[in-house]
Amino acid sequence: MGVLDSFRLDGRTAIVTGGNRGIGRAIAEGLADVDANVVIANRDEDAGAEAAADIAADADVETLAVRTDVTSEADVRAMVEEVVDTFGGIDVLVNNAGVTYHNSVADKSVVEFQETIDINLTGAYRCSKYAGEVMKGDGGGVILNVSSMSAFVANYPQHQVDYQVSKGGMEAFKNQLASEWAEHGIRVNNLNPGYVFTDNIVHGEETVETWRSEMLVDEFARPADIAPLAVYLASDAAWYVTGESVVIDGGYTVR
Ligand code: NDP
């Protein structure tokens, strides 16, 4: 098998939470491009269905949209069941769904803090718990968490402690899950982007220029720039990579 062949996911099934837009959408498109069947799991039913239809039209793969709120255990269980009924199993889970509140500790309510943790971190836990059970029964799989460089550095000048804590927790989550499930053939890694221009990024020119001044590459990433790394980590090309976090940030965290 050649090197490029080891990146292929022909006939495998990949779930991407928040796969309807932004980084998740780009990852879903990347996985479909190497022939994985893709499941889009997000809250907005119409947006999910549209993304799934577009991806199926562009790549010769099967897609499925399942309306899922990752804060609902019932939703996650039902989504996993529907995926197994449709495709027979789960090979890859990408825990990508994520939000943040752009406000300081003083202004952020406890409810807002908990909401972010519930989506970004506990949501990844819910999905991994139920998808992982399926993977264990089938001899293995891959879990890829979309974390952030914010797991390792403080964000500035904007404040978003809810987000930092959720992504910091995702590092410990990944370590523990990789360790606990290695014996079941499940690899668990984190992908940690820097600033990528999506709906998630809402900041003024001054803030954006502050970020740029910290970067080694003078341009911000697009969602499509994150997809190749996700494809690598999801594929057999990365069979020896587990319990790892890979930062992709244009050199931001070096400074
Ligand atoms: P977007 O705001 O563009 O997309 C967020 C996605 O998450 C949407 O698809 C949304 O769909 C979904 N989502 C939100 N809440 C839930 C929920 N409760 N259940 C299911 N799906 C949900 O964000 P990005 O593409 O920018 O971010 C994607 C991931 O990348 C996040 O984890 C983020 O933290 C991470 N990241 C982003 C960076 C950036 O600079 N943009 C940098 C580093 C990491 P819907 O609303 O329909 O549910």
Side-chain angles (χ1 to χ4, degrees):
M1 189 166 72
V3 168
L4 286 179
D5 294 323
S6 67
F7 286 76
R8 300 206 55 81
L9 295 172
D10 299 70
R12 296 189 201 177
T13 300
I15 299 170
V16 184
T17 68
N20 56 304
R21 61 182 151 95
I23 293 172
R25 171 68 179 263
I27 290 174
E29 288 173 355
L31 295 170
D33 201 43
V34 292
D35 274 351
N37 297 319
V38 170
V39 180
I40 306 292
N42 67 294
R43 295 169 301 184
D44 181 333
E45 196 163 13
D46 290 343
E50 199 178 321
D54 287 350
I55 293 169
D58 287 348
D60 191 18
V61 297
E62 303 285 320
T63 62
L64 175 71
V66 188
R67 199 211 62 79
T68 312
D69 184 337
V70 298
T71 67
S72 159
E73 192 162 4
D75 274 14
V76 170
R77 294 184 77 161
M79 181 270 289
V80 165
E81 271 177 33
E82 191 173 339
V83 174
V84 173
D85 285 349
T86 307
F87 294 113
I90 300 167
D91 300 291
V92 177
L93 167 68
V94 182
N95 287 312
N96 164 81
V99 297
T100 186
Y101 280 98
H102 301 285
N103 49 16
S104 65
V105 172
D107 296 330
K108 201 181 309 285
S109 68
V110 173
V111 169
E112 288 172 338
F113 182 89
Q114 286 178 325
E115 186 186 322
T116 300
I117 302 294
D118 202 21
I119 294 174
N120 297 12
L121 183 56
T122 318
Y125 176 72
R126 287 185 192 92
C127 294
S128 302
K129 179 175 168 62
Y130 291 106
E133 287 305 316
V134 176
M135 291 177 182
K136 278 189 213 171
D138 289 346
V142 175
I143 294 176
L144 179 60
N145 302 308
V146 181
S147 180
S148 169
M149 69 173 180
S150 305
F152 308 119
V153 294
N155 283 141
Y156 99 103
Q158 83 281 20
H159 303 301
Q160 43 194 67
V161 71
D162 52 329
Y163 187 79
Q164 307 290 133
V165 173
S166 73
K167 298 304 185 181
M170 204 161 232
E171 297 305 308
F173 173 58
K174 171 264 302 175
N175 291 344
Q176 187 61 29
L177 209 59
S179 167
E180 214 169 301
W181 285 355
E183 65 180 292
H184 300 291
I186 301 175
R187 292 190 296 109
V188 185
N189 291 296
N190 286 3
L191 186 161
N192 300 60
Y195 294 113
V196 184
F197 275 75
T198 64
D199 296 348
N200 216 353
I201 299 265
V202 189
H203 289 294
E205 192 61 26
E206 206 174 313
T207 299
V208 168
E209 284 316 310
T210 305
W211 296 341
R212 193 193 296 278
S213 70
E214 298 290 337
M215 291 160 53
L216 303 185
V217 179
D218 195 33
E219 270 183 56
F220 291 96
R222 298 158 302 146
D225 298 319
I226 307 302
L229 178 57
V231 169
Y232 165 68
L233 290 170
S235 74
D236 293 346
W239 74 273
Y240 205 54
V241 183
T242 192
E244 194 52 77
S245 293
V246 186
V247 176
I248 174 167
D249 67 349
Y252 185 99
T253 48
V254 167
R255 286 188 174 154

